Amino acid sequence: MASRIFLRSLQIFLSFFLILAQISYSQETKQFIYTNGFTQSNLKLNGIAKILPGGVLELTNTSYQEIGHAFFPVPITFNSPKNNSNSSFSFSTRFVFAMVPELPDRGGHGIAFTISPAVELTGATDTQYLGLFNTTNIGFVSNHLFAVELDTVRNREFGDINDNHVGVDVNNLTSVKSAPAGYFSGGENKSLQLKSGKPMQVWIDYSGESKLLTVHLAPLKIKKPEKPLLSMNLDLSSIFLDKMYVGFSASTGSVASHHYILGWSFSTSGEAQFLDPAKIPKVPQSRKSKGKIKYLRIVLPLIAVVLVIFAILSTIYVVRKKYEEIREDWEQQYGPQRFCYKDLYRATKGFKDKEVLGFGGFGKVYRGVLPSTNVEVAVKKVSHDSKQGMKEFIAEIASTGRLRHRNLVQLLGYCRRKGELFLVYDYMPNGSLDKYLFSTKKPNLDWVHRLKIIKGVASALIYLHEDCQQVVLHRDVKSSNVLLDCEMNGRLGDFGLSKFYDHGSNPETTCVVGTVGYLAPELTRTGKPTTCSDAFAFGTFMLEVACGRRPIESDRPNEQVILIEWVLDCWKRGNIFECVDPRLEDRYGAKEMELVLKLGLLCAHHLPAARPSMRQVMQFLDGSNSVPDIPFDVASIGILPGSTEVSKDWSLLKSSDNSSSMLDSILVNGR
């Protein structure tokens, strides 16, 4: 029994000690502070006001048309008989509040900080009266009631300025002065939404000496603004009695709202104590919010999983689309390998411009390294707007896929993707011949290599014209289509304009294709390519290599504009070596050079039958057959003994005007 009495006494002592420690109340200083919540605060509560487990003071909840009051348990002495100075009316208070409406845009009526002669406001009604007055006592001087309202409903009967304002009330709810809720920062008035659910802090200071009342409002973590929201001269000496209670009042209407007080300090001797935002309790979560959070905890992971799956599937779809290819039945009959677009994309580093080797009539050519074999390749990407298209693309596959010759650029494979076409070739590390002939950025090519390249291209054309299963017409023989391998061997490439037909038959009439300066003159009349038209282009090519200049150069003197005419003119004047590339610096065999120049003119004869075949050309170049004497007379160029066709052509030449240029009938028409 004695131990039970001891424990009960100890419990009472500890409770009393905690109250003293938390409230820090003093009859002399008349100040207190609640900064860690209101647990065991012993506040005077009535209506539906209560202290929540977390220490938050809840004035109202979601109940409709209810009142909540909370007052400090001990009355404050404002007008002591021992001290009749006006300064005894001074006070300062700080508090943190939050309004959480039941509906996002609608909530109950607001909160009022109140100084009242009693904690029981008998007869006070809810709704617009904020739990302070009723219809019978509002406005009476006998009320002795002072309040600062934080109102969220506009009541026109009280002259409210809006539905989100702060007002000063004396014995009435018609505010002496009011202002829209907000705070000043950097000279700018920033608005605040009182029922936003966010914690806000209020500072109310009154000087009994100067009769000055100021009200500040700001978000919780913002310091007290320098400029008050409300400032006014007000004499409260007739309002305050000797003993007054300080506290809060709130009410709900047809739409409810949670009204919370999170922290509070008060003083009648100087500024109220600082409320540390870090120690202020959090705004409680409503049941709906808790339900939503619980719901979100279940739903959000599911949504995340769905999004991840969707992202993975989308990525797979995009990747497949990115590397999607086209395959058709006709492809099975062609020999070269079908490459995967994905491999070509990686090999060329995404077809980056820095990997471009050059430009052709079909588009760009890229350098690449196949990821599976680490082999260097050249990838020709046919442009979408190319005048040539699928037909020419297939022709190149058909013609080069089965061709095998040491002086041809080997087609390794191909790829088709949507409207894009790709051809994969052996990589030629030394690039195209034209860059060595015409560009100063490349080293000079000596005569030995030039002659070797001419013979190599001639050998390739013999293979195409005579040794293949079908006759293959290249139709675009020129220096830019001759590529050089690592040993500087010439390899004929770019079969995009090629045409093939059976031996002993004639090729079908077709449109004129080729490059200006290399086109045989008969193509403009017949449109029919032959091995003779390839021989004409090869003749121009030989002169191009020997003279180190292009077939047509408009910036030269008139007599030198067309290469063939200039070489012929030099020959007629007895100085055929005048047209030789000066970069050779006379380092060449005179007989070999003369042979190449005369053979080039012979191949470029304007009559097809007067031109030698490519096998005859190779015999002349190898010295196994002698080039017939070619008279200076233009009309007699191209006579080959033992040919009835040549004799016929010769008789035609004899009847022509000897002074006319051999190139008068050359077609100058590009693709």
Side-chain angles (χ1 to χ4, degrees):
M1 183 68 178
S3 60
R4 186 178 299 175
I5 294 174
F6 173 76
L7 290 174
R8 180 60 178 169
S9 301
L10 181 60
Q11 184 179 7
I12 295 173
F13 174 77
L14 290 174
S15 299
F16 180 72
F17 177 77
L18 289 173
I19 292 173
L20 291 179
Q22 186 173 7
I23 296 178
S24 300
Y25 171 73
S26 171
Q27 289 287 351
E28 295 181 359
T29 59
K30 297 182 180 179
Q31 65 179 11
F32 56 82
I33 181 171
Y34 301 99
T35 188
N36 291 315
F38 295 88
T39 303
Q40 299 182 354
S41 62
N42 203 28
L43 292 179
K44 295 289 186 180
L45 306 176
N46 58 57
I48 60 173
K50 63 180 179 180
I51 308 298
L52 299 179
V56 174
L57 169 58
E58 182 184 66
L59 295 173
T60 64
N61 51 37
T62 54
S63 301
Y64 300 134
Q65 296 180 330
E66 293 286 351
I67 296 173
H69 294 146
F71 287 93
F72 187 70
V74 180
I76 305 299
T77 301
F78 280 97
N79 191 9
S80 174
K82 297 179 181 179
N83 186 1
N84 292 321
S85 65
N86 289 331
S87 62
S88 63
F89 296 108
S90 299
F91 71 92
S92 174
T93 189
R94 314 280 184 268
F95 64 90
V96 178
F97 74 95
M99 299 185 192
V100 182
E102 183 181 20
L103 300 177
D105 298 325
R106 298 180 62 193
H109 296 267
I111 299 172
F113 168 75
T114 305
I115 300 180
S116 168
V119 295
E120 296 288 344
L121 300 178
T122 306
T125 58
D126 51 28
T127 63
Q128 72 266 35
Y129 293 97
L130 299 178
L132 299 175
F133 305 102
N134 57 44
T135 56
T136 61
N137 68 356
I138 189 168
F140 289 179
V141 295
S142 59
N143 290 329
H144 293 283
L145 191 145
F146 168 83
V148 174
E149 65 177 43
L150 306 167
D151 201 353
T152 57
V153 176
R154 185 178 185 182
N155 295 296
R156 298 187 182 277
E157 63 179 296
F158 302 134
D160 289 346
I161 57 175
N162 62 19
D163 60 354
N164 185 58
H165 64 273
V166 179
V168 177
D169 302 333
V170 177
N171 294 326
N172 203 328
L173 287 178
T174 301
S175 299
V176 179
K177 191 172 184 178
S178 63
Y183 68 103
F184 290 93
S185 176
E188 181 183 356
N189 188 357
K190 298 185 177 181
S191 63
L192 289 174
Q193 190 66 32
L194 295 175
K195 56 186 177 183
S196 65
K198 298 178 180 178
M200 302 179 195
Q201 189 167 186
V202 178
W203 295 261
I204 303 173
D205 299 285
Y206 179 72
S207 171
E209 184 176 357
S210 63
K211 307 289 191 300
L212 179 65
L213 176 72
T214 60
V215 180
H216 295 74
L217 175 67
L220 175 60
K221 296 183 179 180
I222 300 297
K223 294 182 180 180
K224 182 180 180 181
E226 294 183 1
K227 183 178 179 180
L229 178 64
L230 287 172
S231 179
M232 61 180 298
N233 290 317
L234 182 65
D235 187 0
L236 295 177
S237 60
S238 60
I239 304 301
F240 289 170
L241 302 177
D242 291 346
K243 303 286 185 178
M244 302 286 284
Y245 288 91
V246 294
F248 302 93
S249 177
S251 65
T252 61
S254 58
V255 180
S257 180
H258 290 276
H259 292 139
Y260 299 117
I261 303 298
L262 309 176
W264 183 24
S265 66
F266 183 89
S267 175
T268 57
S269 57
E271 285 194 12
Q273 296 180 61
F274 172 72
L275 296 175
D276 187 353
K279 297 181 180 180
I280 296 297
K282 303 295 182 183
V283 178
Q285 295 177 346
S286 64
R287 290 183 179 178
K288 288 186 177 181
S289 298
K290 291 179 180 178
K292 288 180 180 178
I293 291 175
K294 185 177 180 180
Y295 174 76
L296 290 176
R297 285 177 180 173
I298 298 173
V299 172
L300 286 180
L302 293 176
I303 294 175
V305 171
V306 171
L307 290 176
V308 169
I309 294 174
F310 178 77
I312 293 173
L313 294 177
S314 299
T315 302
I316 294 173
Y317 176 78
V318 170
V319 170
R320 284 183 177 178
K321 281 291 182 182
K322 182 177 182 179
Y323 300 119
E324 186 178 26
E325 303 173 25
I326 300 172
R327 295 179 184 268
E328 296 183 12
D329 295 338
W330 61 262
E331 299 181 56
Q332 298 178 2
Q333 62 182 299
Y334 298 114
Q337 174 187 353
R338 169 89 188 225
F339 279 92
C340 175
Y341 174 76
K342 185 177 182 180
D343 290 339
L344 298 185
Y345 186 87
R346 291 177 177 175
T348 58
K349 299 178 181 178
F351 295 99
K352 297 292 184 182
D353 287 341
K354 66 179 181 180
E355 301 298 325
V356 172
L357 295 173
F359 300 85
F362 286 92
K364 296 179 180 179
V365 180
Y366 297 84
R367 176 189 174 275
V369 179
L370 295 176
S372 57
T373 60
N374 206 32
V375 173
E376 286 186 300
V377 293
V379 182
K380 181 164 66 173
K381 180 180 180 182
V382 179
S383 58
H384 289 280
D385 57 351
S386 173
K387 293 180 181 179
Q388 290 76 26
M390 183 61 68
K391 183 178 179 181
E392 288 76 8
F393 175 75
I394 296 173
E396 187 156 6
I397 295 176
S399 59
T400 60
R402 295 189 291 262
L403 302 179
R404 296 290 186 275
H405 191 275
R406 65 182 180 277
N407 292 110
L408 292 179
V409 177
Q410 182 62 49
L411 176 67
L412 302 177
Y414 69 100
C415 176
R416 294 177 59 207
R417 175 186 176 271
K418 298 180 180 178
E420 296 176 317
L421 314 172
F422 305 89
L423 292 173
V424 184
Y425 295 94
D426 278 333
Y427 175 65
M428 298 290 107
N430 288 311
S432 59
L433 174 61
D434 64 323
K435 292 183 174 60
Y436 288 86
L437 296 177
F438 313 131
S439 173
T440 57
K441 295 181 180 179
K442 292 286 187 179
N444 182 34
L445 201 60
D446 61 29
W447 176 245
V448 174
H449 282 99
R450 295 192 193 199
L451 185 58
K452 180 182 177 183
I453 292 168
I454 290 173
K455 291 181 178 180
V457 175
S459 176
L461 287 172
I462 293 172
Y463 170 77
L464 295 176
H465 292 174
E466 301 179 15
D467 298 339
C468 289
Q469 185 178 359
Q470 288 182 301
V471 178
V472 180
L473 303 179
H474 188 277
R475 300 205 295 174
D476 203 16
V477 179
K478 57 184 179 180
S479 60
S480 60
N481 283 340
V482 175
L483 303 178
L484 305 177
D485 61 20
C486 58
E487 297 178 352
M488 298 300 288
N489 295 308
R491 295 197 184 191
L492 185 60
D494 198 343
F495 283 73
L497 299 180
S498 63
K499 186 175 183 63
F500 50 96
Y501 60 95
D502 294 333
H503 289 280
S505 64
N506 292 319
E508 296 179 1
T509 302
T510 183
C511 59
V512 178
V513 295
T515 304
V516 173
Y518 302 88
L519 292 169
E522 69 273 9
L523 290 174
T524 188
R525 299 191 308 271
T526 65
K528 184 184 294 185
T530 63
T531 56
C532 293
S533 56
D534 268 1
F536 182 94
F538 180 76
T540 306
F541 165 74
M542 284 196 292
L543 299 180
E544 190 178 12
V545 174
C547 302
R549 55 155 289 185
R550 300 182 189 279
I552 299 176
E553 294 182 350
S554 58
D555 57 345
R556 288 179 175 268
N558 290 337
E559 66 276 9
Q560 298 181 17
V561 171
I562 300 177
L563 176 60
I564 298 176
E565 286 188 350
W566 182 43
V567 175
L568 182 60
D569 182 63
C570 291
W571 182 23
K572 289 170 61 177
R573 288 188 285 104
N575 189 12
I576 196 170
F577 298 112
E578 180 184 342
C579 61
V580 174
D581 188 352
R583 293 203 298 170
L584 290 175
E585 299 177 345
D586 297 330
R587 297 177 182 175
Y588 53 83
K591 289 185 178 181
E592 291 176 338
M593 179 63 73
E594 184 178 4
L595 172 64
V596 168
L597 291 172
K598 290 182 179 180
L599 193 55
L601 289 175
L602 189 60
C603 288
H605 200 289
H606 74 283
L607 289 178
R611 302 167 197 156
S613 68
M614 291 310 304
R615 188 169 295 279
Q616 287 176 312
V617 170
M618 180 60 76
Q619 289 172 353
F620 295 148
L621 290 172
D622 287 342
S624 58
N625 200 351
S626 300
V627 180
D629 291 333
I630 304 174
F632 291 114
D633 192 325
V634 177
S636 63
I637 291 179
I639 299 302
L640 295 180
S643 171
T644 56
E645 264 192 294
V646 171
S647 300
K648 180 181 178 182
D649 290 335
W650 170 244
S651 63
L652 292 172
L653 287 169
K654 280 291 185 180
S655 63
S656 65
D657 183 1
N658 293 346
S659 63
S660 64
S661 170
M662 185 183 77
L663 291 180
D664 286 347
S665 62
I666 287 182
L667 173 65
V668 181
N669 186 18
R671 52 176 160 176

